[in-house]
């Protein structure tokens, strides 16, 4: 049946347009209940559960189905879902357009009231329909709504209706479910104190007017990890100079949470402040102790040079909340039998959350997930509810789950829908696969990777052509052959964006059948590849380049060490070794030429854990050793990426997926220049070439490690490299590589960007056909945004995994003393690097309950004078390393100064450690 609605709309030009909206009503939609004779054959898609709910409910003793209204679903279920999934779920919360349950909007009735009435009609229809189906064992449909008027009307109409809380409380067998109820509103469940702490948020309409008029600015709220009373707002679409606004003090932060989109009012210039150098963590237990907060805020307002003052503001409203489920620990209330407790998130940028739970004793010392429900004006902390218990603090599996959740790394097993698009086994290359593909299985191809690598993306070959030139090939796994555009496997790979490598675990971007088998270029098996082949002279100058889909058969899967041994061994002269020597010789020439053009050779200490084969605990920690073969592989991967970038941009000038590395602003280099100057060295930073040359010249015969330290510091000055669509940007330059154009082509098993680049290249050479999304620059730009986010989160997750395993290592190793070098000096601390472990840590000189030493900080040099000893960047010191477990939530590596000796500040290398296992001692005491 077709229903239509007609109305007139005035156009911008002043004309009148007739709009007709049609609504199709069907009479063939089944109820979804199994065994319903009236609807037999009319069921489409999923049906209702065969066994309706039969819980021990004191309100609904009979078997029943639940029909919650949309607001219950949005508020209760979506309170634990990440932003971005809401719209897709909300759109699926509509009942089908059935003829028998369709409701038209009545005159004077608003859309919400019409929707409420439609749901009541549906509940009533279900109850009458199910009554006919089972007169003896009458099934019920219970209406769940938190809307008081809606519930009253339902009861008047004879519909069994309860609030979410009423229904959950009636489940006498599961009292713990009450903890998981979301608070009804920001003003609901307020604390007893009626004191107003925060100013009211302005409504969205006023915020939009204010932003339009310039009264307010819109931006992303970014809380500080070091100071819970300070944050910055990154202003959207503003000028380069004024992109950041500082917020200081509880009232100015006004209930914004990290990553919220907020509206900010700028304060007058006489109220502007400088970024605070004070470290403040919220560790109080008293929710209402606002006087202490005001006292702490006064500490922030120290005298500052006028040049250091920054635009300062206050939050006047929230444009969009970006809350997510948070991992952390319960801080149990000191009040006996209290059900109200504070939850401390693992992420220091998130405020503590007030929850009510009857399971506090069971949840103490466990990692749990909590969701925020709202933040009333008279509450120091937001309200929330318990969602899930993850496991014991310190347990490897639990901590890995926490770091994956906190960094939003998709790590659930691949669904059956995704797996259904994998090739059937056994698999082999067919004649169809070889169409438009070169057979290169005769070539002496080999791969060179880290030990234990199973997802082998790339392989190489080098051979003499007999005409005085060489042929060099980079062969990359043809992942795009197996992952076709738009299917479930492609969508999941795009969502994940990248493989995440943790210390003991790999979170694959694609299923293991592809990553470790069919796409992995293992030796002595036929594999599909995408090849970039150059003809070069012996001076590594490219004479020709071609791209082709291919089939290869790798003759060896080598580690970097094995490849290096072959190159260095005079006794080995087989085809593989000859190929490696040719590649290595060319790579050295390519690298030299790149550096001459201004490419940077930076440094970053990478660590490698050696694990116990039984316990999988780290038993040794070393910095990774780099060989010539590491550089050899890197040079040819860079060359392939640059060659492919040029090709796809030639063919698709508006929608090539490229990667750029912006040049850092001059201010980024200040610390590097000052640090070098303190060692009587000059670093020039006007161009990448001058920086590279300066770093090459900066060495000291008496201090050989100085150059490495300078390169590590230079790495910290760099901007983040990002993916972008060529049609949406004018600046393609890659600063670090000194290349005018660059992309990622060489790792499609672990990077989705490379799969898109493969598809573009395949279309460019006529090996595959295009599809609409591939040539839509706006969709490519959105894809790049997700890929940049996923890559950033993967890096953070990897660092968190290294930090956790470093803690495990020092927990078993105990206290050690090692040589270190100062990387940064702060007002009350030095940040040091320990070369032996590639470990960075902070030595604090001001501690609670200890006499404070005399500290003089000089920002210009920079230096820190402690009593009569002056510390500069790159000075050599000796530190004691230990694991500090006094705060279970934030266990950390603690460092103390051993040398140089400063009375009252430094400690002896064999001084007994502080009570690092204090929480364990308390736990045992409680158990007794």
């Amino acid at each position: 049946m077709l229903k239509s609605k007609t109305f007139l709309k005035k156009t911008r030009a002043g004309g009148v347009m007739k709009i007709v909206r049609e609504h199709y009503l069907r009479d063939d939609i089944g109820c979804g209940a199994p065994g319903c004779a009236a609807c037999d054959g009319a069921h489409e898609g999923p049906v209702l559960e065969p066994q309706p709910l039969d819980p021990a409910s004191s309100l609904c003793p009979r078997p029943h189905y639940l029909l919650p209204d949309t607001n219950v679903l949005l508020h209760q279920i979506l309170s634990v879902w990440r932003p971005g999934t809401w719209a897709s779920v909300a759109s699926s919360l509509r009942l089908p357009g059935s003829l028998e349950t369709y409701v038209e909007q009545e005159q004077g009735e608003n859309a919400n009231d019409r929707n409420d009435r439609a749901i009541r009609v549906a509940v009533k229809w279900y109850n009458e329909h199910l009554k006919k189906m089972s007169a003896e064992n009458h099934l019920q449909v219970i209406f769940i709504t938190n809307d008081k008027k809606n519930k009253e009307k339902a009861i008047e109409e004879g519909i069994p209706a309860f609030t979410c809380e009423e229904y959950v409380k009636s489940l006498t067998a599961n009292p713990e479910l009450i903890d998981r109820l979301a608070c009804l509103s920001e003003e609901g469940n307020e604390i007893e104190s009626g004191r107003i702490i925060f100013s009211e948020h302005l409504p969205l309409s006023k915020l939009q007017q204010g932003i339009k008029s310039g009264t307010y600015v819109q931006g992303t709220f970014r809380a500080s990890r070091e100071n819970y009373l300070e944050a910055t707002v990154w202003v959207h679409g503003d000028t380069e100079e004024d992109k950041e606004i500082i917020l200081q003090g509880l009232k100015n932060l006004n209930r914004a949470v990290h990553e919220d989109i907020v509206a900010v009012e700028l304060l007058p210039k006489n109220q502007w402040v400088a970024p605070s150098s004070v470290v403040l963590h919220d560790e109080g237990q008293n929710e209402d102790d606002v006087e202490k907060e005001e006292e702490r805020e006064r500490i922030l307002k120290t005298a500052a040079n006028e040049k250091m003052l920054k635009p300062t503001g206050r939050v006047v409203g929230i444009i969009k909340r970006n809350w997510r489920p948070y991992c952390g620990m319960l801080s149990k209330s000191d009040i006996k039998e209290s059900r109200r407790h504070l939850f401390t998130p693992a992420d220091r940028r998130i405020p503590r959350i007030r929850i009510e739970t009857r399971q506090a004793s069971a949840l103490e010392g466990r990692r749990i997930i909590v969701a925020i429900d709202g933040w009333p004006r008279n509450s120091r902390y937001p309200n929330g509810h318990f969602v899930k218990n993850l496991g014991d603090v310190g347990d490897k599996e639990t901590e890995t789950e926490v770091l994956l959740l906190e960094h939003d790394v998709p790590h659930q097993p691949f669904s059956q829908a995704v797996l259904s698009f994998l090739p059937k086994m056994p698999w082999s290359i067919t004649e169809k696969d070889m169409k438009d593909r070169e057979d290169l299985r005769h070539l002496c191809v080999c791969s060179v990777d880290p030990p234990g690598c199973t997802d082998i993306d790339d392989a190489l070959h080098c051979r003499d052509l007999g005409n005085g030139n060489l042929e060099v090939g980079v062969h990359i796994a043809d992942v795009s052959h197996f992952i076709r555009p738009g299917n479930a496997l492609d969508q999941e790979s795009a969502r994940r964006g990248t493989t995440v490598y943790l210390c003991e675990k790999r979170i694959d971007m694609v299923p293991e059948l592809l990553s470790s088998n069919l796409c992995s270029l293992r030796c002595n098996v036929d594999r599909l590849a995408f090849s970039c082949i150059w003809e070069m002279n012996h001076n590594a100058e490219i004479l020709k380049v071609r791209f082709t889909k291919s089939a290869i058969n790798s003759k060896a899967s080598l580690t970097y060490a094995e490849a290096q041994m072959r190159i260095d061994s005079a006794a080995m002269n087989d085809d593989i070794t000859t190929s490696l020597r040719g590649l290595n010789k060319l790579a050295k020439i390519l690298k030299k030429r790149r550096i001459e053009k201004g490419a940077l050779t930076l440094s970053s200490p990478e660590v490698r854990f050696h694990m116990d084969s039984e316990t999988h605990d780290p038993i040794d920690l070393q910095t990774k050793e780099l060989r010539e073969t590491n550089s050899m592989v890197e040079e040819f991967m860079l060359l392939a990426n640059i060659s492919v970038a040029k090709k796809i941009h030639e063919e698709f000038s508006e929608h090539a997926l490229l990667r750029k590395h912006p040049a850092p602003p001059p201010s980024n280099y200040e610390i590097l220049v000052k640090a070098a100057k303190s060692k009587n060295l000059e670093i020039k930073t006007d161009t990448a070439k001058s920086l590279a040359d300066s770093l090459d010249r900066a060495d000291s015969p008496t201090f050989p490690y100085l150059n490495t330290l300078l390169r590590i510091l230079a790495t910290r000055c760099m901007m983040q490299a990002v993916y972008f669509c060529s049609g949406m940007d004018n600046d393609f330059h890659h600063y670090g590589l000194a290349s005018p154009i660059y992309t990622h082509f060489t790792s499609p098993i672990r990077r989705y960007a490379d799969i898109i680049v493969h598809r573009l290249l395949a279309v460019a050479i006529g090996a595959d056909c295009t599809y609409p999304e591939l040539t839509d620059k706006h969709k490519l730009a959105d894809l790049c945004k997700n890929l940049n986010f996923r890559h950033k989160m993967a890096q953070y997750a990897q660092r968190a995994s290294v930090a956790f395993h470093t803690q495990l290592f020092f927990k078993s190793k105990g206290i050690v003393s090692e040589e270190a070098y100062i990387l940064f000096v702060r007002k009350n601390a030095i940040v040091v690097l320990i070369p032996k472990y590639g470990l960075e840590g902070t030595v604090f000189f001001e501690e609670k309950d200890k006499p404070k030493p005399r500290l003089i900080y000089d920002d210009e040099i920079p230096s820190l004078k402690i009593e009569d000893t002056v510390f500069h960047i790159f000075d050599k010191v000796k530190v004691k390393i230990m694991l500090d477990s006094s705060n279970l939530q934030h266990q950390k590596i603690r460092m103390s100064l051993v040398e140089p000796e400063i009375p009252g500040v430094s400690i002896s290398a064999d001084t007994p450690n502080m009570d690092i296992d204090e929480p364990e001692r308390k736990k045992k005491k409680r158990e007794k």
Side-chain angles (χ1 to χ4, degrees):
M1 182 179 171
L2 175 65
K3 288 207 170 232
S4 64
K5 192 174 186 179
T6 306
F7 57 94
L8 302 175
K9 185 181 178 183
K10 191 175 180 181
T11 66
R12 285 185 181 180
V16 176
M17 185 188 291
K18 185 179 179 182
I19 307 286
V20 179
R21 284 194 179 155
E22 296 178 337
H23 198 104
Y24 291 88
L25 301 176
R26 293 170 56 182
D27 57 5
D28 60 343
I29 298 175
C31 67
C36 177
C39 300
D40 190 30
H43 294 147
E44 285 184 2
V47 293
L48 296 171
E49 288 289 323
Q51 294 297 321
L53 292 172
D54 194 9
S57 169
S58 57
L59 292 175
C60 320
R62 287 198 302 239
H64 55 275
Y65 294 112
L66 296 179
L67 205 162
D69 72 10
T70 315
N71 287 328
V72 168
L73 282 167
L74 287 171
H75 194 65
Q76 181 64 48
I77 297 176
L78 298 186
S79 69
V80 296
W81 286 25
R82 289 183 180 273
T85 57
W86 294 25
S88 60
V89 174
S91 66
S92 69
L93 302 179
R94 301 187 183 105
L95 290 166
S98 170
L99 187 61
E100 294 176 284
T101 58
Y102 177 70
V103 170
E104 281 198 28
Q105 190 168 343
E106 294 175 352
Q107 196 171 359
E109 185 179 46
N110 63 37
N112 279 338
D113 289 345
R114 181 258 166 213
N115 291 340
D116 289 344
R117 188 162 56 86
I119 296 171
R120 293 198 303 273
V121 167
V123 177
K124 200 167 186 177
W125 178 86
Y126 260 111
N127 274 322
E128 289 169 1
H129 184 79
L130 293 176
K131 204 173 190 178
K132 295 173 193 171
M133 184 186 96
S134 177
E136 294 172 7
N137 186 19
H138 180 205
L139 292 175
Q140 265 190 314
V141 172
I142 306 296
F143 182 38
I144 304 294
T145 179
N146 290 328
D147 186 306
K148 189 179 176 183
K149 287 183 180 176
N150 201 6
K151 183 190 165 192
E152 286 171 357
K153 285 182 180 177
I155 292 168
E156 281 172 20
E157 294 167 15
I159 298 167
F162 304 102
T163 65
C164 205
E165 186 177 0
E166 286 170 344
Y167 180 78
V168 172
K169 281 185 174 177
S170 78
L171 305 176
T172 50
N174 301 92
E176 75 283 354
L177 288 177
I178 303 215
D179 292 352
R180 305 191 185 208
L181 276 176
C183 297
L184 290 183
S185 71
E186 293 213 355
E187 306 307 321
N189 202 20
E190 292 179 355
I191 54 175
E192 284 74 14
S193 161
R195 179 176 176 181
I196 300 297
I197 301 170
F198 301 102
S199 59
E200 193 172 356
H201 288 151
L202 297 178
L204 192 58
S205 57
K206 282 194 176 178
L207 296 179
Q208 288 168 339
Q209 285 172 13
I211 291 165
K212 198 174 179 180
S213 66
T215 309
Y216 310 132
V217 291
Q218 177 178 322
T220 304
F221 181 89
R222 293 186 178 157
S224 166
R225 289 182 194 276
E226 301 302 323
N227 188 338
Y228 75 101
L229 293 175
E230 185 170 278
T232 55
V233 170
W234 194 259
V235 178
H236 303 166
D238 208 340
T239 59
E240 285 295 324
E241 295 78 33
D242 296 322
K243 271 199 169 177
E244 264 190 350
I245 295 172
I246 290 181
L247 311 175
Q248 276 187 2
L250 266 187
K251 292 179 181 177
N252 289 339
L253 301 181
N254 197 7
R255 299 173 285 158
V257 177
H258 183 64
E259 293 295 341
D260 282 350
I261 307 298
V262 298
V264 172
E265 180 183 47
L266 272 175
L267 298 176
K269 279 199 174 184
N270 62 359
Q271 293 180 39
W272 286 13
V273 297
S276 172
S277 57
V278 181
V279 176
L280 286 178
H281 292 148
D282 182 11
E283 289 163 356
Q285 182 60 260
N286 188 350
E287 301 171 28
D288 305 319
D289 203 352
V290 182
E291 283 79 8
K292 265 193 180 177
E293 308 289 3
E294 289 168 356
E295 191 181 312
R296 285 188 144 193
E297 284 176 26
R298 281 192 285 274
I299 298 171
L300 299 181
K301 293 174 172 55
T302 52
N305 186 318
E306 197 172 321
K307 288 181 182 177
M308 295 175 71
L309 298 178
K310 302 278 184 187
T312 307
R314 67 183 188 97
V315 172
V316 292
I318 309 294
I319 292 164
K320 185 190 173 192
R321 287 289 194 191
N322 275 322
W323 294 340
R324 59 177 174 83
Y326 300 103
C327 300
M329 290 179 67
L330 194 72
S331 302
K332 194 179 172 188
S333 172
D334 294 333
I335 303 167
K336 202 176 178 183
E337 304 299 322
S338 175
R339 291 191 308 203
R340 181 178 291 155
H341 309 274
L342 283 176
F343 164 82
T344 305
D347 187 342
R348 288 192 185 273
R349 295 170 299 185
I350 307 301
R352 302 171 100 191
I353 302 164
R354 185 159 52 83
I355 67 169
E356 290 197 15
T357 178
R358 296 153 181 77
Q359 308 173 67
S361 298
L363 296 178
E364 201 174 10
R366 314 271 288 179
R367 291 283 192 190
I368 64 173
I369 297 177
V370 160
I372 296 179
D373 299 322
W375 196 339
R377 289 175 60 199
N378 59 354
S379 173
R380 168 66 186 82
Y381 299 108
N383 295 325
H385 67 276
F386 166 72
V387 174
K388 190 179 180 183
N389 182 347
L390 294 173
D392 289 326
V393 172
D395 174 74
K396 270 194 290 188
E397 294 225 348
T398 301
E399 296 300 336
T400 300
E401 178 74 6
V402 168
L403 74 87
L404 290 171
L405 289 169
E406 281 297 291
H407 296 101
D408 196 10
V409 175
H411 59 285
Q412 299 75 17
F414 290 98
S415 69
Q416 282 305 312
V418 169
L419 298 176
S420 68
F421 286 96
L422 293 175
K424 302 294 178 281
M425 297 299 286
W427 176 88
S428 60
I429 297 175
T430 64
E431 277 186 37
K432 186 183 175 185
D433 294 333
M434 291 305 297
K435 190 186 175 189
D436 300 322
R437 197 178 284 274
E438 277 190 54
D439 193 340
L440 303 179
R441 285 175 280 195
H442 61 284
L443 292 178
C444 189
V445 171
C446 69
S447 61
V448 184
D449 291 283
C453 179
T454 60
D455 52 344
I456 303 171
D457 282 291
D458 54 88
L460 305 106
H461 87 271
C462 176
R463 63 172 179 165
D464 200 315
L465 287 175
N467 62 356
N469 295 329
L470 299 168
E471 180 185 86
V472 177
V474 165
H475 310 276
I476 306 300
D478 189 4
V479 182
S480 62
H481 173 83
F482 297 97
I483 301 180
R484 303 307 296 164
N487 66 26
L489 176 56
D490 182 46
Q491 289 171 3
E492 181 62 17
S493 304
R495 186 176 78 90
R496 295 186 177 218
T498 181
T499 293
V500 181
Y501 294 90
L502 307 181
C503 293
E504 272 191 282
K505 194 175 185 177
R506 188 180 80 203
I507 313 297
D508 281 327
M509 181 185 81
V510 299
E512 192 178 16
L513 179 64
L514 297 183
S515 66
S516 296
N517 188 350
L518 301 185
C519 292
S520 184
L521 304 182
R522 302 186 300 186
C523 62
N524 302 318
V525 289
D526 293 346
R527 287 290 178 258
L528 300 178
F530 210 148
S531 301
C532 176
I533 300 169
W534 303 275
E535 185 177 334
M536 292 182 177
N537 61 25
H538 286 268
N539 196 32
E541 290 165 336
I542 298 169
L543 307 173
K544 291 179 190 173
V545 60
R546 65 190 180 90
F547 308 96
T548 179
K549 293 257 187 172
S550 61
I552 65 166
N553 187 301
S554 175
K555 303 302 182 278
S557 297
L558 306 172
T559 65
Y560 291 116
E562 288 167 347
Q564 192 68 54
M565 185 193 70
R566 280 175 174 266
I567 291 168
D568 297 340
S569 172
M572 299 189 78
N573 291 294
D574 57 275
D575 289 346
I576 292 170
T577 306
T578 303
S579 178
L580 287 168
R581 286 183 184 137
L583 289 165
N584 197 41
K585 184 182 173 185
L586 293 169
K588 287 178 181 178
I589 300 168
L590 288 169
K591 184 173 184 178
K592 184 172 180 287
R593 195 175 293 149
R594 247 185 351 100
I595 290 169
E596 284 170 357
K597 286 181 180 176
L600 298 172
T601 306
L602 300 177
S603 184
S604 181
E606 288 189 71
V607 297
R608 186 174 199 87
F609 292 96
H610 294 273
M611 302 291 185
D612 184 286
S613 57
E614 290 182 9
T615 64
H616 297 287
D617 285 335
I619 53 176
D620 197 10
L621 175 61
Q622 297 174 337
T623 51
K624 289 182 183 176
E625 184 184 351
L626 296 178
R627 297 175 171 85
E628 272 187 6
T629 45
N630 291 76
S631 179
M632 176 190 80
V633 173
E634 182 186 12
E635 285 307 313
F636 285 106
M637 296 306 112
L638 293 175
L639 189 62
N641 287 334
I642 291 167
S643 297
V644 170
K646 289 175 182 174
K647 179 66 178 176
I648 62 172
H649 185 247
E650 281 170 17
E651 295 290 330
F652 306 105
S653 60
E654 285 291 299
H655 42 261
L657 192 154
L658 303 175
R659 188 164 175 82
K660 69 172 181 175
H661 182 214
S667 57
N668 281 30
Y669 286 124
E670 281 179 10
I671 186 70
L672 176 66
V673 172
K674 287 178 181 179
K677 193 177 178 183
S678 72
K679 299 297 177 191
N680 299 314
L681 295 168
E682 185 184 16
I683 297 289
K684 293 184 177 179
T685 61
D686 46 324
T687 65
K689 171 71 175 156
S690 59
L691 174 62
D693 290 344
S694 297
L695 289 170
D696 287 342
R697 289 192 299 269
D699 58 1
S700 167
T702 58
F703 188 2
Y705 198 63
L706 176 62
N707 191 263
T708 303
L709 288 168
L710 281 164
R711 291 181 192 276
I712 289 170
L713 205 54
T715 306
R716 309 293 172 89
C717 302
M718 295 297 129
M719 304 291 282
Q720 185 81 34
V722 290
Y723 296 111
F724 69 101
C725 174
S726 59
M728 306 290 279
D729 208 320
N730 296 320
D731 178 18
F732 293 8
H733 190 73
H734 197 293
Y735 179 81
L737 297 174
S739 177
I741 193 165
Y742 191 68
T743 193
H744 272 162
F745 163 75
T746 53
S747 296
I749 293 176
R750 61 185 179 90
R751 292 190 304 233
Y752 188 76
D754 302 51
I755 293 177
I756 295 295
V757 170
H758 276 227
R759 289 174 182 169
L760 289 164
L761 185 60
V763 175
I765 64 170
D768 206 343
C769 52
T770 188
Y771 57 98
E773 287 77 15
L774 194 64
T775 53
D776 184 327
K777 64 182 182 182
H778 297 287
K779 287 189 176 174
L780 272 176
D782 288 341
L783 175 65
C784 288
K785 189 177 177 183
N786 178 59
L787 295 179
N788 290 329
F789 171 74
R790 292 295 180 203
H791 277 260
K792 184 172 67 174
M793 290 297 107
Q795 284 180 333
Y796 292 162
Q798 284 155 212
R799 288 175 200 164
S801 180
V802 168
F804 174 64
H805 281 80
T806 303
Q807 290 170 12
L808 289 179
F809 172 70
F810 282 104
K811 187 174 185 178
S812 61
K813 194 170 179 69
I815 307 163
V816 295
S817 294
E818 291 293 344
E819 286 184 347
Y821 293 97
I822 298 174
L823 274 184
F824 304 101
V825 291
R826 305 289 189 223
K827 286 188 177 179
N828 61 347
I830 55 173
V831 179
V832 300
L833 174 73
I834 299 161
K836 181 177 177 180
Y837 299 122
L839 179 65
E840 198 177 304
T842 306
V843 180
F844 287 99
F845 297 113
E846 287 182 338
E847 294 187 49
K848 278 182 185 177
D849 309 320
K850 285 190 178 181
K852 289 185 180 180
R854 190 174 76 254
L855 303 176
I856 302 171
Y857 174 71
D858 187 335
D859 184 43
E860 283 304 311
I861 297 177
S863 66
L864 178 65
K865 187 176 182 181
I866 305 168
E867 299 297 340
D868 296 319
T869 304
V870 181
F871 292 95
H872 297 93
I873 292 178
F874 302 149
D875 282 358
K876 192 176 183 180
V877 294
K878 193 171 186 179
V879 296
K880 188 171 85 165
I881 313 163
M882 67 202 85
L883 178 66
D884 180 358
S885 299
S886 58
N887 181 341
L888 265 180
Q889 171 80 309
H890 297 111
Q891 295 187 57
K892 60 187 176 184
I893 299 296
R894 183 183 171 121
M895 296 186 185
S896 303
L897 184 71
V898 175
E899 293 175 7
E901 290 183 22
I902 303 173
V905 175
S906 61
I907 60 172
S908 168
D910 49 7
T911 300
N913 191 18
M914 56 175 277
D915 189 1
I916 57 173
D917 290 319
E918 179 70 11
E920 193 63 30
R921 185 182 63 76
K922 285 181 180 175
K923 184 181 173 186
K924 286 177 181 173
K925 189 176 177 183
R926 280 198 306 270
E927 286 169 358
K928 285 179 184 177

